[in-house]
Each structure stands twice: as structure tokens, then as C-alpha cells.
Amino acid sequence: MSLEREPLLGQGTSSSASSNVTFLSSFKATATSSYINVLTVFVPIALVASLLDCSDTVVFTLNFIAIVPLAKLLGFSTEELALRCGSTWGALLNATFGNAVELILGIIALKEGLIRVVQASILGSILSNILLVLGLCFFFGGIRRSEQTFNTTAAQTSSSLLAVTTLSLLVPAAFNALAIEHNEKSSAGLLKISHGTAIILLVVYILSLIFQLKTHKHLYEDVVEEEEVPKTTLVFSAVSLVVIAAFVSLHAEFLVGAIEGVVSSWGINETFVGIILMPLVGNAAEHLSSITFAIKNKMNLSIGIAISSSLQIGLLVTPILVIIGWIIDKPMTLFFENFETVILLTSVLIVNYLIQDGRSNWLEGVLLLASYAIIALAFFFHP
């Protein structure tokens, strides 16, 4: 979900204000956009450690930390470009680049043949958004208030789309179980089902954007107290977007390359790394933004960030990764383990129950956080 913004180019006061932006002021605005940016000192440290062939634990940890501020800077550059595009194209831009880190990590892991890690990171991103982030939003937003309210229609529409995403994972699991029961090989059929479903999910995602940005955009509007003006130049925003994405790709390459060593030395499994650790890399900055909006009682925006991010993972990133796997001949399917599929289905049902009345409180936040903690514990001991 994005704040409703009108095109800024060509408007009186906004245009004159943005014309005073220089390269130096753009750099300063970007560098001081968030306190998370202090972690950029780990960018060169991580690169040096990776090039010097330090231990997998050191390489994984340093690159893990380095990607967090880069993800925040990538989001800031995207928002600056969005401010100059108007609400519709701006929201589309945010939707496209909002999960760039997860997509980059997924593509690199897929290229390395780490399909289980890719599948786990997809599931982990969805779970962390609808349970961890939403739980923190409900908890911190409700501590000083008896309850908070939000648009029920928009929230339930998003939850319904999440249910469709869950269905896309349930069908391959059921198909595989049926094939095993009849002693038939299901790999070829699973690939064909996954490829077809991926295309359908992309179509659904495009139609959901039309619903959100055009036909029913009033459901997703938030009151903006004052018009926002771009803090960076158009060229600076575009160039920084490309440069930051390149750095994210580089760090992601080193991060993914160290996963197998970390799994071996830490005594944990790849599934736990993908479901619990990797989603924190790309979503950390977005998580903080969502919680901040909840504390400010902007629940429509807060819930929109949490649930819409999950939708983008399920309806955009996942099918793109399946199609990329199709192109590079990697057997990336939508068949997750039955254990993981059941957990996702249960989580979506819990969220649906809690948001159906359009009200939230701190206890509902505790319930979501407890659910996430139970799931994390289960995956830690997952064989």
C-alpha cells in the first residue's frame, strides 16, 4: 500500500521546491534518510572479508548485516522516484522494486541450485510479514490504546488474495500425495502445474493492482497531512537505484555462497536459514516502517505494508522465480513440504480471523507473535 500522491512535476509550489534540489542535497538526503544507514560501514567490510575468503560464518554474518541498510536505501530511492510519477505509477514502482532484495536473493540461490532455500525464503517472507510484523504492529500500536481500527474491506480483500496464494501451494502438495499413493512419478506433472499456476498468479497480481490503483483505490487511501516533495533529483534517484541494486546483488552472491558452510558449522538446516534468517535481510527496513506507522495510529498504511508485501511475494516474486527456473532449467516448483504448506494455511486463517472485525489490540498482537515463535521453534528442530 502506498500513500496517495498526485504528480509533482509541473505543479506550482511543489515544482519550485523540487527544482532547488541539487546533487549534494540529494546525497545528503539519501545518507540521512534513516538511522539504519549507519550500518553501511559494513558494506566495504563485508566485501573485503568475502574477497579474502574468510570463514563462511564471518562472510554470512557481515553480508547479512550489509544488505539491511542497502535494502533501506533501495526503498528510499524507489520512493523518491515514485514521488515524481504520481500515485498510480508511483505505487506500481513501489510494488515492482519493493521486493527487489528478495527477488535478487532468490535468483542467485536458484542459480546455485539451492531450491529448498528459495522455497523456504518465500514461505519465510510471507510468514514474517503476516505474523511477526503484523503482530508487532498490533502490539506496539495497541499498548497505549484500547483498540485501533482499519478498513475491513481492504484488509479482507488482501487476505483473500493470500488465501489464493496458499491454494497455489496446496494443489501441488495434494497432487504429489495422490501420485505417491498411486506409485506414479509426479516430478514432470508438478513442473507443468507450477509453470501454469505461476502464469495465473501473475495475471491475478496484475488484476489486483488494477483493483488497488484504479477501480477501488479509495479503499487504500490514507489521509496525507501535507504534500511530500522529492528530496533528490530524478537522475540521482535513478542512478542510486541501479548502483544500490548492484551492491545488493554482489552481497547476495556472497551471502548465498556461504549458506552451506553456515548450515554445517552452526548445526542448523537450510530450511531454518531460508524461513527465519533470510526474510529478515530484505524486510528489516520495511518491518520498522510498518511498526512506526502502527505506533502513529496509521493502521491502514501499517497493515497494507505487512499484508501487501506478503502478496507481492506470493503473487509476484514466487511466480517470477518459478518462470526463471523454467528458463534456466532448474526444477523450481510450487510443491513445498506438507508441513510447510499446513503452517502457511493455518497462519493465513489466523490472520483472517483477527482482522475480520476491522479492529486490533495488543493481545491480538501477542497471539500473532506467539504463533510465529512456535513456528520458528518447529523449524529450528526440523529434521
Side-chain angles (χ1 to χ4, degrees):
M1 177 184 301
S2 300
L3 294 176
E4 186 70 13
R5 294 163 177 151
E6 295 300 324
L8 294 173
L9 294 179
Q11 291 186 358
T13 57
S14 296
S15 180
S16 60
S18 61
S19 64
N20 296 326
V21 179
T22 63
F23 177 86
L24 187 60
S25 66
S26 298
F27 180 83
K28 183 178 179 181
T30 303
T32 59
S33 60
S34 171
Y35 63 86
I36 296 177
N37 293 346
V38 298
L39 295 177
T40 51
V41 297
F42 285 94
V43 171
I45 297 173
L47 291 176
V48 171
S50 301
L51 294 174
L52 292 178
D53 291 327
C54 292
S55 68
D56 288 327
T57 298
V58 172
V59 171
F60 181 88
T61 304
L62 290 177
N63 283 283
F64 184 98
I65 298 173
I67 290 178
V68 172
L70 290 176
K72 180 64 176 176
L73 289 171
L74 193 67
F76 178 78
S77 298
T78 302
E79 290 171 4
E80 286 296 305
L81 278 177
L83 278 171
R84 296 180 177 276
C85 298
S87 71
T88 302
W89 288 103
L92 184 60
L93 192 64
N94 273 316
T96 304
F97 288 96
N99 291 286
V101 175
E102 291 90 336
L103 187 58
I104 292 170
L105 283 168
I107 292 173
I108 292 174
L110 190 60
K111 186 183 67 174
E112 297 294 324
L114 300 173
I115 294 175
R116 282 297 302 140
V117 173
V118 176
Q119 291 179 326
S121 65
I122 289 170
L123 180 65
S125 292
I126 295 175
L127 291 176
S128 66
N129 277 301
I130 65 175
L131 295 180
L132 178 62
V133 179
L134 203 57
L136 290 172
C137 290
F138 284 178
F139 180 75
F140 286 108
I143 285 179
R144 297 182 179 180
R145 303 175 181 90
S146 59
E147 65 178 23
Q148 292 177 288
T149 59
F150 48 87
N151 189 302
T152 312
T153 305
Q156 289 190 335
T157 299
S158 297
S159 293
S160 299
L161 288 169
L162 266 181
V164 173
T165 302
T166 306
L167 176 67
S168 71
L169 303 183
L170 279 172
V171 171
F175 177 87
N176 183 71
L178 187 63
I180 292 175
E181 184 180 329
H182 290 81
N183 297 317
E184 297 177 0
K185 291 185 178 180
S186 61
S187 55
L190 279 174
L191 274 175
K192 292 176 181 178
I193 290 174
S194 298
H195 295 160
T197 303
I199 295 172
I200 294 171
L201 289 179
L202 283 176
V203 172
V204 171
Y205 179 72
I206 293 171
L207 293 176
S208 71
L209 285 181
I210 294 174
F211 180 88
Q212 180 177 337
L213 305 178
K214 193 163 184 70
T215 63
H216 290 71
K217 64 181 180 180
H218 61 280
L219 297 175
Y220 298 88
E221 290 178 355
D222 274 277
V223 177
V224 181
E225 295 179 357
E226 58 181 54
E227 189 178 47
E228 293 186 64
V229 177
K231 300 175 184 177
T232 64
T233 65
L234 180 62
V235 174
F236 185 90
S237 298
V239 171
S240 61
L241 194 67
V242 174
V243 172
I244 294 168
F247 271 102
V248 169
S249 301
L250 187 60
H251 285 288
E253 186 89 41
F254 291 130
L255 180 76
V256 172
I259 286 178
E260 291 185 354
V262 167
V263 167
S264 177
S265 60
W266 289 8
I268 57 178
N269 55 71
E270 287 184 349
T271 306
F272 181 81
V273 173
I275 286 183
I276 304 301
L277 298 182
M278 288 186 66
L280 297 178
V281 179
N283 294 330
E286 197 172 43
H287 291 176
L288 290 174
S289 297
S290 184
I291 295 166
T292 301
F293 285 127
I295 294 173
K296 294 179 179 179
N297 203 29
K298 296 182 178 181
M299 290 304 292
N300 280 338
L301 186 54
S302 179
I303 292 176
I305 292 174
I307 297 183
S308 294
S309 182
S310 296
L311 286 177
Q312 289 163 17
I313 294 293
L315 298 177
L316 178 65
V317 175
T318 303
I320 286 178
L321 289 174
V322 170
I323 292 172
I324 289 176
W326 188 5
I327 294 171
I328 65 177
D329 199 25
K330 296 290 184 181
M332 173 68 187
T333 71
L334 293 174
F335 170 57
F336 290 24
E337 290 185 5
N338 294 338
F339 176 64
E340 297 167 3
T341 308
V342 169
I343 282 179
L344 179 60
L345 174 61
T346 307
S347 300
V348 171
L349 287 176
I350 290 172
V351 172
N352 270 321
Y353 285 139
L354 294 181
I355 68 173
Q356 63 183 353
D357 61 350
R359 302 174 185 275
S360 65
N361 53 63
W362 65 265
L363 181 58
E364 291 183 348
V366 170
L367 297 178
L368 291 174
L369 292 174
S371 300
Y372 187 77
I374 293 170
I375 291 170
L377 188 64
F379 279 112
F380 183 79
F381 294 104
H382 187 274

